[in-house]
Amino acid sequence: MANILERRAQASPKVAASGLIINTLGWIDGLGYELQIHAISSLKADVVIVMEQDRLYSQLAHELKRERDERRGARDRRIKEYFYGPRENLVPTSNTVRSDQLMVWRIGGGARAPNSALPIGAMSVSDPLRLSNLPANAELVESLMAVSHATTPDQILSTNVAGFMLVKDVDATKGMVTYMSPCPGALPGRYMITGSLRSTID
């Protein structure tokens, strides 16, 4: 069932955006609990609501936290593998450039007006493709950024990325940014795309 639903979501943006409500069985002991975990994992549930079952809530909270920690660990291993190679036989380079040589952009997000400030029936939504220019400051430290081949900001959404770099330090006073790159030399572009991914690898 999970595979069928996944294919439907891939075939239709409306289906993918509409979400899914899963009403699970009331069997919560032994095999029943394992089936609950399997359903959550297979259907990729991102919100789990437990009603009138304190013990089940505690069990699921612990289980899902462990899964999140495992995913975070796997993600950090992949980031390290990108810079150091699968056998850790590569040597990334550390470079420092003036902050005005880099333009940092974020895709999506942005402030939303509260629904109470909108006309009746209207909903506040954020544009998932909205581009926001970010200043080079300490908040970018440990951010994993994509290096875009774009030559102008309006090309960012439609242009491939060359690879990734990891911001190690931002000296706002001197206007300098230190970053780690998997290969030496200048970056192939000046437009960086940042998101929520961060890493503390050295």
Side-chain angles (χ1 to χ4, degrees):
M1 181 189 291
N3 292 334
I4 294 172
L5 292 172
E6 182 70 22
R7 288 197 295 270
R8 283 190 62 194
Q10 291 175 353
S12 171
K14 288 185 177 180
V15 171
S18 64
L20 180 69
I21 297 176
I22 308 155
N23 185 14
T24 61
L25 68 168
W27 186 15
I28 61 172
D29 294 316
L31 179 59
Y33 177 75
E34 293 178 16
L35 291 173
Q36 300 273 8
I37 295 296
H38 179 71
I40 292 169
S41 176
S42 299
L43 296 169
K44 300 177 181 177
D46 54 0
V47 176
V48 178
I49 300 174
V50 180
M51 301 178 64
E52 300 180 355
Q53 291 287 345
D54 292 341
R55 183 169 63 87
L56 177 62
Y57 173 83
S58 298
Q59 288 176 312
L60 287 176
H62 175 73
E63 188 79 30
L64 298 179
K65 179 181 184 302
R66 187 177 67 184
E67 287 190 7
R68 285 197 301 270
D69 292 342
E70 290 174 356
R71 288 197 299 269
R72 187 179 298 112
R75 182 188 65 206
D76 288 342
R77 287 192 294 274
R78 292 294 178 266
I79 293 174
K80 186 173 183 179
E81 185 176 295
Y82 176 80
F83 287 98
Y84 289 91
R87 299 178 182 173
E88 296 192 23
N89 56 349
L90 302 180
V91 181
T93 61
S94 179
N95 304 283
T96 301
V97 297
R98 296 198 318 271
S99 58
D100 59 7
Q101 292 181 301
L102 304 177
M103 296 287 290
V104 181
W105 295 83
R106 173 174 284 125
I107 300 174
R112 299 196 305 175
N115 290 334
S116 59
L118 299 175
I120 295 175
M123 295 292 291
S124 177
V125 297
S126 58
D127 182 359
L129 299 180
R130 178 177 181 266
L131 283 171
S132 303
N133 186 218
L134 304 179
N137 56 34
E139 293 183 8
L140 298 180
V141 175
E142 299 179 351
S143 293
L144 186 70
M145 298 188 185
V147 183
S148 176
H149 279 304
T151 56
T152 60
D154 59 346
Q155 296 177 350
I156 290 175
L157 296 177
S158 59
T159 305
N160 291 335
V161 299
F164 301 89
M165 51 94 99
L166 181 64
V167 178
K168 303 301 292 182
D169 184 57
V170 177
D171 190 329
T173 303
K174 296 181 179 179
M176 305 297 286
V177 176
T178 301
Y179 65 90
M180 185 167 69
S181 171
C183 58
L187 293 171
R190 66 179 305 223
Y191 293 103
M192 308 294 118
I193 305 171
T194 187
S196 60
L197 286 183
R198 294 179 175 271
S199 178
T200 57
I201 66 170
D202 295 324

